[in-house]
Amino acid sequence: RLYAIGDVHGRHDLLAAMHRRIETELEYAPATDWRIIHLGDYVDRGPDSKSVIDFLIEAQKRDPRNIILAGNHDIGMLDFLANAEPDGLFMNYGGVQTAQSYGVDFTRDMHWFGKAEAVAR
């Protein structure tokens, strides 16, 4: 049995609820084999990207049948960590909310290395 979950975008509450529903289904209608395929876009927009990432790490540790793929927003976050671009995917589509879930507050009016960048206060 395959379950596919995508575009969580920082909504830990909805991801946890989906996992509870899957666990309930597997309890009442067991499958000889199953996988939960997480299709990416865990971060950005929603209020709790950090909890989403933490939840997925723990889910995969508990059971390797949790398959976790990276989406474009996840790659955008990694790209931002490697090279902070103020006008990249991460900053323009929810990076501020993602950073806040990690306790980082961004402002766009500061400068790094002589060019406008997003800077953690």
Side-chain angles (χ1 to χ4, degrees):
R1 188 174 304 162
L2 297 177
Y3 300 93
I5 302 173
D7 295 292
V8 175
H9 289 294
R11 292 296 307 269
H12 174 257
D13 57 335
L14 298 177
L15 177 62
M18 180 60 70
H19 269 255
R20 285 190 300 274
R21 289 184 75 173
I22 292 169
E23 289 168 10
T24 298
E25 180 175 304
L26 288 169
E27 182 180 317
Y28 289 104
T32 57
D33 195 13
W34 57 270
R35 300 285 184 279
I36 303 174
I37 305 168
H38 299 88
L39 300 171
D41 289 350
Y42 312 115
V43 302
D44 295 347
R45 298 188 184 122
D48 210 357
S49 294
K50 180 186 183 310
S51 290
V52 168
I53 299 297
D54 292 345
F55 180 92
L56 292 172
I57 289 169
E58 289 305 313
Q60 192 171 53
K61 282 181 185 177
R62 277 190 316 275
D63 196 314
R65 291 176 288 190
N66 283 282
I67 299 167
I68 302 169
L69 306 174
N72 63 320
H73 287 263
D74 311 313
I75 299 299
M77 182 177 93
L78 295 174
D79 289 346
F80 180 82
L81 292 173
N83 183 26
E85 290 293 329
D87 292 320
L89 175 73
F90 182 73
M91 285 303 294
N92 286 316
Y93 295 98
V96 171
Q97 294 91 332
T98 299
Q100 288 171 341
S101 77
Y102 282 92
V104 176
D105 187 18
F106 280 111
T107 180
R108 295 177 139 245
D109 61 356
M110 300 189 71
H111 298 273
W112 281 351
F113 307 110
K115 65 180 185 174
E117 295 283 350
V119 178
R121 286 193 219 185

